[in-house]
Amino acid sequence: MLVLPCAVFLFDVKDYLLLAIMKFNFPGFHRFEAPLAIMDSEGFANELVTHFKSTLKSLYARGARKFLINNVGPIGCIPNNRNRVTNDCNEEKNHGAEVYNGKLELALRELANEFEATFVLANSKEIFKEFLKNPSKFGLKYSSLSISLFQTNSN
C-alpha cells in the first residue's frame, strides 16, 4: 500500500526565508539565479514560490495529495530584526514576508485548481501577531526579548 496518498505533508519555509533575508551564507544554501543580497522582495518571493511549487508538483507526481503549508509571520518583529534603540519592528523585512505570503497564497490556489489534492494554508502570521500583542496568553512575560522568561506560580 502506498503511504503518500494517506500522508499529510507539512511545509514551513520560515527558517529558510529567515536565512535568506538575514543574508547568512551556508554551503549548499544558495540555489537561486541571482545573489540574494541583490534581489528585491518581489524577486526573492518569485524565486522561492517557483521552487516551492515545483517541489509540491513533484510530490504530487509521486502520490502526495494532502499538504499543509505555513505562511511567514512578521519576521521583522523577531528580536534579532528589531530596532536596537526603539524596539520597533523592521517593516522592510515584514514587507518582504507579506510579498511572499501573497504569492504563496496565489500559488496554492493555482495548484488546487490544477490538481486533485488538498492544499491548506496555515496562517502563522496571525498567530505570531497575537503572540506579539499578548505574550502572557502563551505563558510568556515578554515578546520582544531574544529569550522570553516563562511565568510560574511558584515562589
Side-chain angles (χ1 to χ4, degrees), residues 30-152:
H30 187 296
R31 292 197 177 108
F32 297 104
E33 294 174 17
L36 295 175
I38 62 170
M39 273 188 164
D40 62 358
S41 298
E42 189 81 20
F44 180 70
N46 284 334
E47 285 286 316
L48 190 58
V49 169
T50 297
H51 288 278
F52 189 54
K53 276 179 73 173
S54 177
T55 299
L56 294 175
K57 287 179 178 184
S58 178
L59 283 168
Y60 182 86
R62 290 172 173 78
R65 297 295 183 264
K66 299 172 188 162
F67 303 91
L68 173 61
I69 298 100
N70 279 325
N71 66 6
V72 177
I75 57 176
C77 296
I78 63 173
N80 195 40
N81 287 334
R82 288 175 176 260
N83 182 298
R84 303 273 188 255
V85 176
T86 65
N87 202 35
D88 291 338
C89 296
N90 182 321
E91 293 309 321
E92 182 181 341
K93 291 183 180 180
N94 283 344
H95 173 72
E98 288 293 328
V99 169
Y100 168 78
N101 285 342
K103 292 182 179 300
L104 174 64
E105 185 174 354
L106 180 61
L108 294 178
R109 287 176 198 242
E110 290 170 358
L111 290 170
N113 288 330
E114 185 177 343
F115 299 111
E116 289 186 33
T118 302
F119 296 91
V120 176
L121 180 59
N123 196 349
S124 57
K125 176 187 85 168
E126 291 303 319
I127 294 169
F128 192 78
K129 281 176 141 180
E130 179 62 26
F131 166 75
L132 290 172
K133 287 193 298 190
N134 191 5
S136 64
K137 183 176 177 181
F138 298 88
L140 301 170
K141 285 185 179 182
Y142 310 102
S143 63
S144 60
L145 299 176
S146 293
I147 300 174
S148 294
L149 305 174
F150 285 89
Q151 289 182 321
T152 62

